Amino acid sequence: MQRVFDRARQFLEETRGDKRTRRNQGFPSTERALPSFGSPFSIPITQNISSYLGSRNPLAGPIDPSTESVWLFDNTAYRPIHPYPHSPQPWQADFHTAFFKKETGKDVSKAVADIADKIGLKELGSEEERERGERTIAERLQPFIDVVAPARWAEVNLPNGKLQRLGPGGRSGTSRQIVSFATDHSNGETMETDAVKPELTPHGPMLTTFAEPEGWMVISDIDDTVKVTLTPSPVGILRTTFLSAPTPIASMPALYTHIHSLLNPTWFYLSASPYNLYPFLHSFLHANYPKGTILLRDASWMDLSGFLLSLTQGTEAYKTGRMDLIHNWLPKRKVLCVGDSTQSDPEAYGNIYRKYKGWVKKIFIRKVADVAEMDVKEKNTSERFEKAFKDVPKDVWQVFEDPNELYAAINNLKTS
């Protein structure tokens, strides 16, 4: 039921541009040919039905270390803004978790073979290289196959020594809740929060970054902005996600290092990918870019057609909604938005600029011109950018191809 609702919402949020891109690049036909892994709810009927109650589920229980695990997502702690002059508010943060049953996914061999065939793995050199590629596909595919564990909660140790219960998870196996804590922290400081039983967290503790109300903030797209993804092509997405070594966009790591040293911003990485890709993206970003909060779609599809839908359908509405949430947390921060032309970043950033006057100070859009399948005439025209940034001053937004073009503009932000 939840998957049906999520897909219906995405369908209603699909723009004409989404439909055109998906049709021209053959996404629907590719999605129909991808494997499905069945129902994600191979759980007792009481847990299944009660999971509709979400955080108010009276039948929820603690996570079982022997059969279940929990992912703890990095987050950003902020101080709520009081409408009247007031002493600083206590820190609070959105604690986001996902619960899974261990080793419950179906045999992945058929799915691995299917993906390997679609991305042309058999055309790679030696048999040893093909076997290595199949192992990589199987490893990255596993989070899409593992069965979610709704109606579960876990306890973590907060920095003040108190225990905090997170969850229970709802239909998608995820939970979100605002947690307040009165401990003293400085801007930019980080802390780790782990489960009371660390063996529950296969991807390690949650990293919280503290952000005072004022200062700079970067909201960055991921796919084809900081990571090579080839989002105009369904086969390109499958190849770069499940087989290729994740590759940074040339010169972007150096640019982001410069931004971090100059502005000391809080970082948010915003992607329409489903949360199943969190470990993969988390490792990539931590290895190449400043650490920050990664915001992904709360949907465990249990099939790969849903994965492609997440990346290509309703992304403008999704990203605008996520930025609404960030604004609620940090409305006084000065914002730098970075995205690309493959999807709806220009439109989403234009929406946010117009909605919250004065919040967004600068917008950079990478013009992607090196993807053969991309409709450059549609995506990279000046008319498209002018329309997306209607009523946005021309000195606020800039389209670039080489990140080295941006250093002068970034240096000017220091004095703005």
Side-chain angles (χ1 to χ4, degrees):
M1 182 66 70
Q2 183 65 40
R3 285 194 291 174
V4 172
F5 173 78
D6 288 338
R7 290 194 174 183
R9 180 178 58 191
Q10 283 185 204
F11 177 78
L12 292 173
E13 293 174 345
E14 185 179 41
T15 65
R16 290 181 180 178
D18 292 339
K19 292 179 181 178
R20 195 159 46 243
T21 297
R22 286 175 51 76
R23 181 182 64 249
N24 292 345
Q25 299 301 329
F27 276 89
S29 60
T30 301
E31 289 160 359
R32 286 192 295 269
L34 288 171
S36 175
F37 309 119
S39 171
F41 301 110
S42 302
I43 56 176
I45 189 170
T46 54
Q47 294 179 23
N48 194 339
I49 295 175
S50 68
S51 65
Y52 282 104
L53 300 175
S55 61
R56 299 180 179 180
N57 185 353
L59 300 179
I63 191 170
D64 182 350
S66 65
T67 61
E68 298 167 333
S69 64
V70 59
W71 295 2
L72 303 177
F73 297 84
D74 293 349
N75 59 11
T76 298
Y78 57 93
R79 296 185 188 274
I81 302 300
H82 200 278
Y84 304 105
H86 204 281
S87 59
Q89 299 293 292
W91 292 102
Q92 63 183 42
D94 176 21
F95 277 58
H96 185 195
T97 57
F99 299 87
F100 289 93
K101 290 186 174 292
K102 296 179 181 178
E103 301 176 357
T104 50
K106 293 184 177 180
D107 179 18
V108 300
S109 59
K110 183 177 180 181
V112 169
D114 187 270
I115 294 174
D117 179 64
K118 285 182 170 57
I119 64 179
L121 180 63
K122 63 182 179 181
E123 299 173 6
L124 296 181
S126 66
E127 182 177 349
E128 181 180 352
E129 288 178 307
R130 291 193 292 272
E131 290 178 351
R132 185 164 57 245
E134 289 177 351
R135 289 194 296 271
T136 299
I137 294 172
E139 179 182 346
R140 296 184 187 176
L141 193 60
Q142 195 63 51
F144 288 86
I145 297 176
D146 284 340
V147 175
V148 297
R152 284 288 179 261
W153 51 261
E155 289 185 323
V156 298
N157 291 306
L158 294 181
N160 58 8
K162 292 184 178 180
L163 296 181
Q164 174 67 47
R165 178 181 294 185
L166 302 180
R171 295 294 293 171
S172 64
T174 66
S175 75
R176 306 188 83 113
Q177 62 200 82
I178 300 299
V179 176
S180 300
F181 36 97
T183 47
D184 187 28
H185 299 276
S186 58
N187 183 63
E189 183 181 344
T190 60
M191 74 170 192
E192 290 187 346
T193 300
D194 208 347
V196 173
K197 299 176 180 179
E199 65 272 19
L200 291 173
T201 54
H203 304 296
M206 171 190 297
L207 183 71
T208 298
T209 301
F210 291 83
E212 290 285 1
E214 298 185 358
W216 277 95
M217 172 168 60
V218 176
I219 299 176
S220 172
D221 177 53
I222 298 177
D223 299 303
D224 291 316
T225 297
V226 299
K227 174 184 168 292
V228 175
T229 306
L230 308 178
T231 46
S233 162
V235 174
I237 294 174
L238 293 174
R239 183 182 297 114
T240 56
T241 301
F242 295 107
L243 178 63
S244 303
T247 304
I249 297 295
S251 300
M252 288 300 284
L255 180 73
Y256 276 33
T257 297
H258 180 70
I259 293 173
H260 192 67
S261 63
L262 188 69
L263 303 179
N264 189 31
T266 293
W267 292 84
F268 288 91
Y269 296 97
L270 177 57
S271 172
S273 296
Y275 74 79
N276 312 69
L277 282 181
Y278 182 81
F280 174 67
L281 294 175
H282 184 271
S283 297
F284 166 77
L285 291 169
H286 275 221
N288 296 283
Y289 295 99
K291 295 178 181 178
T293 297
I294 306 171
L295 298 176
L296 306 174
R297 274 184 159 161
D298 284 346
S300 181
W301 292 115
M302 294 293 294
D303 62 67
L304 294 180
S305 63
F307 162 60
L308 292 178
L309 280 166
S310 288
L311 283 172
T312 59
Q313 189 179 62
T315 58
E316 179 182 338
Y318 162 74
K319 289 188 174 183
T320 301
R322 292 292 91 186
M323 287 187 284
D324 286 336
L325 182 62
I326 297 172
H327 180 267
N328 289 340
W329 297 338
L330 295 163
K332 291 187 175 183
R333 284 260 168 170
K334 293 181 284 187
V335 182
L336 166 60
C337 295
V338 188
D340 65 85
S341 64
T342 60
Q343 295 183 299
S344 58
D345 291 342
E347 289 75 16
Y349 291 156
N351 292 340
I352 286 298
Y353 180 91
R354 290 184 290 269
K355 187 172 185 177
Y356 303 112
K357 296 291 187 181
W359 190 51
V360 176
K361 303 300 183 183
K362 197 73 177 180
I363 300 170
F364 295 134
I365 297 296
R366 176 177 175 260
K367 181 191 291 185
V368 179
D370 54 355
V371 179
E373 299 90 344
M374 182 173 166
D375 186 353
V376 175
K377 292 183 179 180
E378 177 187 343
K379 295 291 188 179
N380 288 341
T381 62
S382 58
E383 290 80 8
R384 185 246 175 132
F385 297 128
E386 292 285 350
K387 182 179 180 180
F389 295 121
K390 181 182 179 181
D391 299 327
V392 179
K394 289 187 179 295
D395 62 347
V396 169
W397 60 277
Q398 180 176 344
V399 179
F400 71 97
E401 291 188 50
D402 183 351
N404 293 311
E405 301 170 27
L406 303 181
Y407 280 85
I410 290 168
N411 291 341
N412 288 337
L413 296 178
K414 179 68 175 179
T415 58
S416 65

